[in-house]
PDB file of all heavy atoms in Angstrom:
ATOM      1  N   ALA A 217     -22.701  38.402  31.719  1.00 96.00           N
ATOM      2  CA  ALA A 217     -22.605  37.665  30.426  1.00 96.00           C
ATOM      3  C   ALA A 217     -23.510  38.360  29.466  1.00 96.00           C
ATOM      4  O   ALA A 217     -23.109  38.402  28.311  1.00 96.00           O
ATOM      5  CB  ALA A 217     -23.129  36.175  30.716  1.00 96.00           C
ATOM      6  N   ASP A 218     -24.613  38.965  29.883  1.00 95.00           N
ATOM      7  CA  ASP A 218     -25.501  39.630  29.009  1.00 95.00           C
ATOM      8  C   ASP A 218     -24.861  40.894  28.386  1.00 95.00           C
ATOM      9  O   ASP A 218     -25.074  41.310  27.155  1.00 95.00           O
ATOM     10  CB  ASP A 218     -26.773  40.089  29.720  1.00 95.00           C
ATOM     11  CG  ASP A 218     -27.693  38.931  29.977  1.00 95.00           C
ATOM     12  OD1 ASP A 218     -27.567  37.774  29.296  1.00 95.00           O
ATOM     13  OD2 ASP A 218     -28.604  38.940  30.754  1.00 95.00           O
ATOM     14  N   GLU A 219     -24.071  41.571  29.176  1.00 96.00           N
ATOM     15  CA  GLU A 219     -23.359  42.706  28.677  1.00 96.00           C
ATOM     16  C   GLU A 219     -22.338  42.495  27.703  1.00 96.00           C
ATOM     17  O   GLU A 219     -22.049  43.084  26.705  1.00 96.00           O
ATOM     18  CB  GLU A 219     -22.725  43.602  29.890  1.00 96.00           C
ATOM     19  CG  GLU A 219     -23.734  44.188  30.800  1.00 96.00           C
ATOM     20  CD  GLU A 219     -23.263  44.726  32.127  1.00 96.00           C
ATOM     21  OE1 GLU A 219     -22.152  44.236  32.567  1.00 96.00           O
ATOM     22  OE2 GLU A 219     -23.900  45.615  32.721  1.00 96.00           O
ATOM     23  N   LYS A 220     -21.558  41.389  27.938  1.00 97.00           N
ATOM     24  CA  LYS A 220     -20.626  40.804  26.929  1.00 97.00           C
ATOM     25  C   LYS A 220     -21.307  40.469  25.638  1.00 97.00           C
ATOM     26  O   LYS A 220     -20.703  40.749  24.624  1.00 97.00           O
ATOM     27  CB  LYS A 220     -19.808  39.753  27.612  1.00 97.00           C
ATOM     28  CG  LYS A 220     -18.912  40.124  28.751  1.00 97.00           C
ATOM     29  CD  LYS A 220     -18.140  38.963  29.354  1.00 97.00           C
ATOM     30  CE  LYS A 220     -17.339  39.374  30.552  1.00 97.00           C
ATOM     31  NZ  LYS A 220     -16.609  38.171  31.022  1.00 97.00           N
ATOM     32  N   THR A 221     -22.444  39.795  25.790  1.00 97.00           N
ATOM     33  CA  THR A 221     -23.116  39.395  24.543  1.00 97.00           C
ATOM     34  C   THR A 221     -23.624  40.566  23.771  1.00 97.00           C
ATOM     35  O   THR A 221     -23.620  40.577  22.591  1.00 97.00           O
ATOM     36  CB  THR A 221     -24.244  38.571  25.082  1.00 97.00           C
ATOM     37  OG1 THR A 221     -23.801  37.345  25.674  1.00 97.00           O
ATOM     38  CG2 THR A 221     -25.123  38.128  23.697  1.00 97.00           C
ATOM     39  N   PHE A 222     -24.120  41.664  24.503  1.00 95.00           N
ATOM     40  CA  PHE A 222     -24.522  42.916  23.878  1.00 95.00           C
ATOM     41  C   PHE A 222     -23.336  43.486  23.006  1.00 95.00           C
ATOM     42  O   PHE A 222     -23.635  43.951  22.011  1.00 95.00           O
ATOM     43  CB  PHE A 222     -25.018  43.866  24.941  1.00 95.00           C
ATOM     44  CG  PHE A 222     -25.384  45.249  24.513  1.00 95.00           C
ATOM     45  CD1 PHE A 222     -26.098  45.463  23.343  1.00 95.00           C
ATOM     46  CD2 PHE A 222     -24.746  46.356  25.129  1.00 95.00           C
ATOM     47  CE1 PHE A 222     -26.358  46.703  22.920  1.00 95.00           C
ATOM     48  CE2 PHE A 222     -25.038  47.635  24.666  1.00 95.00           C
ATOM     49  CZ  PHE A 222     -25.806  47.945  23.560  1.00 95.00           C
ATOM     50  N   LEU A 223     -22.182  43.583  23.623  1.00 97.00           N
ATOM     51  CA  LEU A 223     -21.048  44.089  22.910  1.00 97.00           C
ATOM     52  C   LEU A 223     -20.680  43.212  21.660  1.00 97.00           C
ATOM     53  O   LEU A 223     -20.559  43.781  20.505  1.00 97.00           O
ATOM     54  CB  LEU A 223     -19.842  44.163  23.877  1.00 97.00           C
ATOM     55  CG  LEU A 223     -18.504  44.820  23.116  1.00 97.00           C
ATOM     56  CD1 LEU A 223     -18.679  46.086  22.612  1.00 97.00           C
ATOM     57  CD2 LEU A 223     -17.358  44.595  24.185  1.00 97.00           C
ATOM     58  N   GLU A 224     -20.781  41.930  21.875  1.00 97.00           N
ATOM     59  CA  GLU A 224     -20.451  41.095  20.740  1.00 97.00           C
ATOM     60  C   GLU A 224     -21.371  41.184  19.641  1.00 97.00           C
ATOM     61  O   GLU A 224     -21.118  41.282  18.422  1.00 97.00           O
ATOM     62  CB  GLU A 224     -20.376  39.592  21.208  1.00 97.00           C
ATOM     63  CG  GLU A 224     -20.099  38.570  20.159  1.00 97.00           C
ATOM     64  CD  GLU A 224     -20.111  37.168  20.632  1.00 97.00           C
ATOM     65  OE1 GLU A 224     -19.771  36.891  21.902  1.00 97.00           O
ATOM     66  OE2 GLU A 224     -20.339  36.191  19.872  1.00 97.00           O
ATOM     67  N   THR A 225     -22.720  41.302  20.004  1.00 96.00           N
ATOM     68  CA  THR A 225     -23.772  41.499  18.951  1.00 96.00           C
ATOM     69  C   THR A 225     -23.537  42.855  18.225  1.00 96.00           C
ATOM     70  O   THR A 225     -23.735  42.895  16.965  1.00 96.00           O
ATOM     71  CB  THR A 225     -25.209  41.446  19.615  1.00 96.00           C
ATOM     72  OG1 THR A 225     -25.325  40.208  20.300  1.00 96.00           O
ATOM     73  CG2 THR A 225     -26.170  41.565  18.638  1.00 96.00           C
ATOM     74  N   THR A 226     -23.245  43.859  18.868  1.00 96.00           N
ATOM     75  CA  THR A 226     -22.980  45.186  18.329  1.00 96.00           C
ATOM     76  C   THR A 226     -21.801  45.072  17.282  1.00 96.00           C
ATOM     77  O   THR A 226     -21.873  45.664  16.344  1.00 96.00           O
ATOM     78  CB  THR A 226     -22.738  46.162  19.398  1.00 96.00           C
ATOM     79  OG1 THR A 226     -23.761  46.203  20.409  1.00 96.00           O
ATOM     80  CG2 THR A 226     -22.594  47.602  18.720  1.00 96.00           C
ATOM     81  N   VAL A 227     -20.778  44.391  17.711  1.00 97.00           N
ATOM     82  CA  VAL A 227     -19.603  44.256  16.756  1.00 97.00           C
ATOM     83  C   VAL A 227     -20.002  43.532  15.537  1.00 97.00           C
ATOM     84  O   VAL A 227     -19.569  43.856  14.410  1.00 97.00           O
ATOM     85  CB  VAL A 227     -18.463  43.490  17.544  1.00 97.00           C
ATOM     86  CG1 VAL A 227     -17.332  43.134  16.572  1.00 97.00           C
ATOM     87  CG2 VAL A 227     -17.899  44.300  18.690  1.00 97.00           C
ATOM     88  N   LYS A 228     -20.709  42.356  15.706  1.00 96.00           N
ATOM     89  CA  LYS A 228     -21.163  41.597  14.556  1.00 96.00           C
ATOM     90  C   LYS A 228     -22.131  42.411  13.566  1.00 96.00           C
ATOM     91  O   LYS A 228     -21.967  42.134  12.373  1.00 96.00           O
ATOM     92  CB  LYS A 228     -21.974  40.373  15.060  1.00 96.00           C
ATOM     93  CG  LYS A 228     -21.063  39.241  15.720  1.00 96.00           C
ATOM     94  CD  LYS A 228     -21.957  38.139  16.114  1.00 96.00           C
ATOM     95  CE  LYS A 228     -21.150  37.078  16.811  1.00 96.00           C
ATOM     96  NZ  LYS A 228     -22.029  35.911  17.260  1.00 96.00           N
ATOM     97  N   ASN A 229     -22.810  43.397  14.159  1.00 95.00           N
ATOM     98  CA  ASN A 229     -23.770  44.124  13.338  1.00 95.00           C
ATOM     99  C   ASN A 229     -23.154  45.449  12.874  1.00 95.00           C
ATOM    100  O   ASN A 229     -23.864  46.238  12.077  1.00 95.00           O
ATOM    101  CB  ASN A 229     -25.015  44.481  14.140  1.00 95.00           C
ATOM    102  CG  ASN A 229     -25.797  43.221  14.463  1.00 95.00           C
ATOM    103  OD1 ASN A 229     -25.764  42.252  13.799  1.00 95.00           O
ATOM    104  ND2 ASN A 229     -26.692  43.174  15.481  1.00 95.00           N
ATOM    105  N   LEU A 230     -21.916  45.793  13.262  1.00 96.00           N
ATOM    106  CA  LEU A 230     -21.262  46.899  12.813  1.00 96.00           C
ATOM    107  C   LEU A 230     -21.094  47.053  11.345  1.00 96.00           C
ATOM    108  O   LEU A 230     -20.779  45.869  10.657  1.00 96.00           O
ATOM    109  CB  LEU A 230     -19.863  47.109  13.365  1.00 96.00           C
ATOM    110  CG  LEU A 230     -19.079  48.394  13.103  1.00 96.00           C
ATOM    111  CD1 LEU A 230     -19.806  49.489  14.000  1.00 96.00           C
ATOM    112  CD2 LEU A 230     -17.534  48.282  13.315  1.00 96.00           C
ATOM    113  N   GLN A 231     -21.430  48.084  10.686  1.00 94.00           N
ATOM    114  CA  GLN A 231     -21.378  48.272   9.151  1.00 94.00           C
ATOM    115  C   GLN A 231     -20.275  49.225   8.696  1.00 94.00           C
ATOM    116  O   GLN A 231     -20.089  50.231   9.522  1.00 94.00           O
ATOM    117  CB  GLN A 231     -22.702  48.810   8.716  1.00 94.00           C
ATOM    118  CG  GLN A 231     -23.953  47.982   8.915  1.00 94.00           C
ATOM    119  CD  GLN A 231     -25.172  48.452   8.250  1.00 94.00           C
ATOM    120  OE1 GLN A 231     -25.365  48.539   7.115  1.00 94.00           O
ATOM    121  NE2 GLN A 231     -26.025  48.871   9.300  1.00 94.00           N
ATOM    122  N   PHE A 232     -19.648  48.851   7.801  1.00 91.00           N
ATOM    123  CA  PHE A 232     -18.520  49.791   7.216  1.00 91.00           C
ATOM    124  C   PHE A 232     -19.096  50.499   6.020  1.00 91.00           C
ATOM    125  O   PHE A 232     -19.777  49.894   5.141  1.00 91.00           O
ATOM    126  CB  PHE A 232     -17.265  48.967   6.926  1.00 91.00           C
ATOM    127  CG  PHE A 232     -16.638  48.170   7.988  1.00 91.00           C
ATOM    128  CD1 PHE A 232     -16.963  46.804   8.236  1.00 91.00           C
ATOM    129  CD2 PHE A 232     -16.008  48.823   8.961  1.00 91.00           C
ATOM    130  CE1 PHE A 232     -16.435  46.133   9.259  1.00 91.00           C
ATOM    131  CE2 PHE A 232     -15.395  48.080  10.073  1.00 91.00           C
ATOM    132  CZ  PHE A 232     -15.602  46.719  10.101  1.00 91.00           C
ATOM    133  N   LYS A 233     -18.811  51.749   6.063  1.00 81.00           N
ATOM    134  CA  LYS A 233     -19.503  52.602   4.934  1.00 81.00           C
ATOM    135  C   LYS A 233     -19.169  52.203   3.525  1.00 81.00           C
ATOM    136  O   LYS A 233     -19.916  52.336   2.726  1.00 81.00           O
ATOM    137  CB  LYS A 233     -19.072  54.135   5.239  1.00 81.00           C
ATOM    138  CG  LYS A 233     -19.694  54.735   6.405  1.00 81.00           C
ATOM    139  CD  LYS A 233     -19.407  56.200   6.466  1.00 81.00           C
ATOM    140  CE  LYS A 233     -20.178  56.892   5.478  1.00 81.00           C
ATOM    141  NZ  LYS A 233     -20.076  58.434   5.629  1.00 81.00           N
ATOM    142  N   ASP A 234     -17.898  51.675   3.320  1.00 71.00           N
ATOM    143  CA  ASP A 234     -17.591  51.229   1.908  1.00 71.00           C
ATOM    144  C   ASP A 234     -18.549  50.083   1.539  1.00 71.00           C
ATOM    145  O   ASP A 234     -18.954  49.923   0.442  1.00 71.00           O
ATOM    146  CB  ASP A 234     -16.109  50.906   1.791  1.00 71.00           C
ATOM    147  CG  ASP A 234     -15.684  49.818   2.631  1.00 71.00           C
ATOM    148  OD1 ASP A 234     -16.430  49.540   3.716  1.00 71.00           O
ATOM    149  OD2 ASP A 234     -14.493  49.427   2.509  1.00 71.00           O
ATOM    150  N   ALA A 235     -18.759  49.128   2.429  1.00 54.00           N
ATOM    151  CA  ALA A 235     -19.614  48.104   2.207  1.00 54.00           C
ATOM    152  C   ALA A 235     -21.087  48.505   2.033  1.00 54.00           C
ATOM    153  O   ALA A 235     -21.808  47.835   1.185  1.00 54.00           O
ATOM    154  CB  ALA A 235     -19.623  47.119   3.436  1.00 54.00           C
ATOM    155  N   ILE A 236     -21.554  49.478   2.692  1.00 48.00           N
ATOM    156  CA  ILE A 236     -22.839  50.027   2.443  1.00 48.00           C
ATOM    157  C   ILE A 236     -22.935  50.680   1.121  1.00 48.00           C
ATOM    158  O   ILE A 236     -24.032  50.404   0.370  1.00 48.00           O
ATOM    159  CB  ILE A 236     -23.173  51.077   3.526  1.00 48.00           C
ATOM    160  CG1 ILE A 236     -23.246  50.481   4.876  1.00 48.00           C
ATOM    161  CG2 ILE A 236     -24.465  51.770   3.308  1.00 48.00           C
ATOM    162  CD1 ILE A 236     -23.258  51.425   6.052  1.00 48.00           C
ATOM    163  N   LEU A 237     -21.869  51.348   0.651  1.00 41.00           N
ATOM    164  CA  LEU A 237     -21.985  52.060  -0.666  1.00 41.00           C
ATOM    165  C   LEU A 237     -21.934  50.837  -1.717  1.00 41.00           C
ATOM    166  O   LEU A 237     -22.733  51.080  -2.789  1.00 41.00           O
ATOM    167  CB  LEU A 237     -20.659  52.892  -0.871  1.00 41.00           C
ATOM    168  CG  LEU A 237     -20.674  54.125  -0.029  1.00 41.00           C
ATOM    169  CD1 LEU A 237     -19.403  54.780  -0.184  1.00 41.00           C
ATOM    170  CD2 LEU A 237     -21.804  55.082  -0.540  1.00 41.00           C
ATOM    171  N   VAL A 238     -21.214  49.810  -1.512  1.00 38.00           N
ATOM    172  CA  VAL A 238     -21.289  48.753  -2.547  1.00 38.00           C
ATOM    173  C   VAL A 238     -22.677  48.018  -2.637  1.00 38.00           C
ATOM    174  O   VAL A 238     -23.197  47.825  -3.667  1.00 38.00           O
ATOM    175  CB  VAL A 238     -20.146  47.658  -2.082  1.00 38.00           C
ATOM    176  CG1 VAL A 238     -20.397  46.342  -3.015  1.00 38.00           C
ATOM    177  CG2 VAL A 238     -18.777  48.122  -2.350  1.00 38.00           C
ATOM    178  N   ASN A 239     -23.335  47.867  -1.427  1.00 38.00           N
ATOM    179  CA  ASN A 239     -24.576  47.229  -1.507  1.00 38.00           C
ATOM    180  C   ASN A 239     -25.646  48.153  -2.193  1.00 38.00           C
ATOM    181  O   ASN A 239     -26.506  47.726  -2.985  1.00 38.00           O
ATOM    182  CB  ASN A 239     -25.112  46.955  -0.019  1.00 38.00           C
ATOM    183  CG  ASN A 239     -24.348  45.885   0.530  1.00 38.00           C
ATOM    184  OD1 ASN A 239     -23.745  45.012  -0.051  1.00 38.00           O
ATOM    185  ND2 ASN A 239     -24.254  45.861   1.922  1.00 38.00           N
ATOM    186  N   THR A 240     -25.462  49.458  -1.915  1.00 34.00           N
ATOM    187  CA  THR A 240     -26.377  50.478  -2.496  1.00 34.00           C
ATOM    188  C   THR A 240     -26.186  50.525  -4.099  1.00 34.00           C
ATOM    189  O   THR A 240     -27.154  50.454  -4.821  1.00 34.00           O
ATOM    190  CB  THR A 240     -26.123  51.761  -1.980  1.00 34.00           C
ATOM    191  OG1 THR A 240     -26.332  51.816  -0.611  1.00 34.00           O
ATOM    192  CG2 THR A 240     -27.078  52.829  -2.646  1.00 34.00           C
ATOM    193  N   ASN A 241     -24.969  50.429  -4.510  1.00 37.00           N
ATOM    194  CA  ASN A 241     -24.723  50.413  -6.024  1.00 37.00           C
ATOM    195  C   ASN A 241     -25.257  49.100  -6.618  1.00 37.00           C
ATOM    196  O   ASN A 241     -25.746  49.179  -7.648  1.00 37.00           O
ATOM    197  CB  ASN A 241     -23.179  50.592  -6.223  1.00 37.00           C
ATOM    198  CG  ASN A 241     -22.673  51.936  -5.793  1.00 37.00           C
ATOM    199  OD1 ASN A 241     -23.358  52.758  -5.796  1.00 37.00           O
ATOM    200  ND2 ASN A 241     -21.423  51.993  -5.520  1.00 37.00           N
ATOM    201  N   ALA A 242     -25.141  48.019  -5.958  1.00 35.00           N
ATOM    202  CA  ALA A 242     -25.598  46.767  -6.479  1.00 35.00           C
ATOM    203  C   ALA A 242     -27.179  46.800  -6.602  1.00 35.00           C
ATOM    204  O   ALA A 242     -27.718  46.280  -7.611  1.00 35.00           O
ATOM    205  CB  ALA A 242     -25.280  45.555  -5.511  1.00 35.00           C
ATOM    206  N   GLN A 243     -27.828  47.424  -5.690  1.00 38.00           N
ATOM    207  CA  GLN A 243     -29.276  47.534  -5.703  1.00 38.00           C
ATOM    208  C   GLN A 243     -29.780  48.499  -6.844  1.00 38.00           C
ATOM    209  O   GLN A 243     -30.763  48.316  -7.407  1.00 38.00           O
ATOM    210  CB  GLN A 243     -29.839  47.970  -4.352  1.00 38.00           C
ATOM    211  CG  GLN A 243     -29.649  47.094  -3.328  1.00 38.00           C
ATOM    212  CD  GLN A 243     -30.031  47.514  -1.908  1.00 38.00           C
ATOM    213  OE1 GLN A 243     -30.421  48.770  -1.854  1.00 38.00           O
ATOM    214  NE2 GLN A 243     -29.850  46.753  -0.845  1.00 38.00           N
ATOM    215  N   ASN A 244     -28.842  49.510  -7.186  1.00 40.00           N
ATOM    216  CA  ASN A 244     -29.305  50.429  -8.137  1.00 40.00           C
ATOM    217  C   ASN A 244     -29.057  49.965  -9.595  1.00 40.00           C
ATOM    218  O   ASN A 244     -29.523  50.580 -10.648  1.00 40.00           O
ATOM    219  CB  ASN A 244     -28.509  51.785  -7.978  1.00 40.00           C
ATOM    220  CG  ASN A 244     -28.862  52.541  -6.666  1.00 40.00           C
ATOM    221  OD1 ASN A 244     -29.989  52.307  -6.224  1.00 40.00           O
ATOM    222  ND2 ASN A 244     -27.929  53.380  -6.239  1.00 40.00           N
ATOM    223  N   LYS A 245     -28.374  48.752  -9.726  1.00 41.00           N
ATOM    224  CA  LYS A 245     -28.004  48.316 -11.029  1.00 41.00           C
ATOM    225  C   LYS A 245     -29.331  47.615 -11.586  1.00 41.00           C
ATOM    226  O   LYS A 245     -30.000  46.902 -10.909  1.00 41.00           O
ATOM    227  CB  LYS A 245     -26.862  47.396 -11.069  1.00 41.00           C
ATOM    228  CG  LYS A 245     -25.556  48.110 -10.829  1.00 41.00           C
ATOM    229  CD  LYS A 245     -24.290  47.248 -10.834  1.00 41.00           C
ATOM    230  CE  LYS A 245     -23.180  48.013 -10.666  1.00 41.00           C
ATOM    231  NZ  LYS A 245     -21.921  47.073 -10.749  1.00 41.00           N
TER     232      LYS A 245
END
């Protein structure tokens, strides 16, 4: 169960690069 939870948490925390760029641009404004 802990291993499955570890994978689920990793999926939830996965970042997509386009989203990261959007957040960076928002902070720079």
